[in-house]
Amino acid sequence: QDPQGSHALRVHLQSVGLTAGTLQTQSAPENAGTKHLEDRPASSCETLKVETIETDRLVLRNFRRSDAADLFAYLHEPKASCFLSLKLADMKEAEAEAEKRSADDEHLAVCLKDTGQLIGDLFAVPETDTFSVGWNFNPAFGGQGYALEAARALFRQLFEQKGARRLYAYVEDHNTSSQRLCERLGMR
């Protein structure tokens, strides 16, 4: 169970040197059910504070107050129960949430490169040499590989530039799309 009491899987990813290629994984016998990449010596992680990250189709950037309407589009009725506490009742709450996220270093807005539209977000919370990671996307943009593309870019940033040795995510046991995403990212 996660700290809020809902049932969840805890998935891990460890790495020494992520490259532009795919994530290579190997099993760790002492930790059955957890998939690991090679370990590297522990180091102290920096805060997330990233520059803008661009992929083929996306831009990952800090939130802006102007993201409120797009944030409201997927947080007025969150699909994953773990995000119910973030439910936004109206645009005033959406504006306050966008403002709050624009001031923190844990959330990244995921936007379409062509239009600038916010389609979801990623978060990474530092814990020494480990980051707790997660994602929440507007279901209207599901099934197009955006979450995978965004998470891979963030993971690369965390390993290569932020000193991460391990990443983990809590995934609800009924959230099969997020479980599949974890598997595609090399997490288990």
Side-chain angles (χ1 to χ4, degrees), residues 17-25 37 152 156 184-185:
L18 219 43
T19 63
T22 59
L23 303 175
Q24 300 287 322
T25 60
L37 294 174
R152 279 185 176 154
R156 188 169 293 113
R184 293 191 69 196
L185 289 165

Side-chain angles (χ1 to χ4, degrees), residues 40 43-51 128-129 131 154 156-165:
R40 69 172 160 179
S43 64
S44 178
C45 285
E46 304 172 28
T47 61
L48 181 56
K49 192 88 170 174
V50 296
E51 300 297 319
T128 313
D129 65 347
F131 281 85
L154 175 62
R156 188 169 293 113
Q157 173 86 8
L158 294 175
F159 284 128
E160 292 179 355
Q161 297 181 13
K162 299 300 177 186
R165 189 174 76 82

Side-chain angles (χ1 to χ4, degrees), residues 109-125:
V110 178
C111 304
L112 295 174
K113 187 183 266 187
D114 292 342
T115 65
Q117 181 179 4
L118 173 74
I119 62 168
D121 61 86
L122 301 171
F123 65 84
V125 181

